[in-house]
Amino acid sequence: MTTDRWRLLGAPTFERAGSVVGLPPAKAVALLAYLCAVAEPVERDRLQELLWPESFGDAGRKTLRNALWALRQALGETAVVTVGGGRLAVGDGAWIDLLELARLLGARVAADRTADAADLAAAVALYRGPLLDGLSLPDAPLFDVWLTGQRERLDRRMMRAVAALADR
């Protein structure tokens, strides 16, 4: 069982072996959250465009490498893994609140409110606030647009979860 815990809901916090670790740079945290939310491998070029739109070519690749290094220093070598073909994904070595929330709510709560009451209660207890609360990247407008959309989507899902729990 992993002892690494990443909380991306509310203000981001990270634990390794039960101890809170210092936050990596904001863009590294944003990179990790994006990879967690999309839950599939993402092209390096897409990540560079999303987070470092002002950096091109070698400069963009270097900034991405630096962010990956910062994540690995703070969270371990398996935080973000290369899956081939220039794509990156989140490693499977940590418990991640965003992924746990998705598991607890599933797709059904949005459609017909048939999720298990215990899962709904656990999801409501898990939700500490908006995704990456307090984080904003004004120099990465595409990321800020994506983050705003994710926050709104999660807020709607949580409202449905609370309503379904209240119905029970």
Side-chain angles (χ1 to χ4, degrees):
M1 180 170 172
T2 183
T3 58
D4 293 353
R5 299 176 69 79
W6 304 347
R7 290 178 179 84
L8 301 171
L9 298 168
T13 59
F14 301 96
E15 294 177 16
R16 291 199 71 205
S19 297
V20 175
V21 298
L23 283 179
K27 285 199 179 179
V29 173
L31 168 66
L32 184 66
Y34 184 81
L35 291 172
C36 288
V38 299
E40 63 185 33
V42 179
E43 297 285 333
R44 285 176 180 260
D45 290 345
R46 170 68 182 138
L47 296 168
Q48 288 172 226
E49 174 185 297
L50 186 69
L51 292 164
W52 297 278
E54 74 287 349
S55 297
F56 302 99
D58 289 341
R61 285 186 285 282
K62 182 179 182 201
T63 55
L64 178 58
R65 278 193 312 274
N66 289 342
L68 292 170
W69 180 85
L71 283 172
R72 290 175 178 137
Q73 288 297 114
L75 305 177
E77 285 297 317
T78 61
V80 176
V81 296
T82 303
V83 294
R87 296 176 303 150
L88 299 172
V90 173
D92 59 3
W95 175 90
I96 304 165
D97 64 354
L98 187 60
L99 300 180
E100 180 65 7
L101 185 72
R103 185 193 70 75
L104 289 168
L105 293 181
R108 298 192 58 118
V109 71
D112 59 13
R113 295 185 178 179
T114 59
D116 179 80
D119 286 349
L120 289 171
V124 170
L126 182 65
Y127 189 75
R128 298 180 316 127
L131 178 63
L132 301 180
D133 196 21
L135 186 131
S136 176
L137 301 177
D139 63 337
L142 292 176
F143 179 81
D144 267 354
V145 168
W146 173 84
L147 182 58
T148 298
Q150 289 297 304
R151 287 173 174 164
E152 290 171 357
R153 184 184 66 78
L154 285 168
D155 284 348
R156 285 191 303 272
R157 292 202 76 202
M158 290 310 301
M159 293 301 291
R160 286 192 293 269
V162 168
L165 190 57
D167 286 349
R168 301 229 160 57

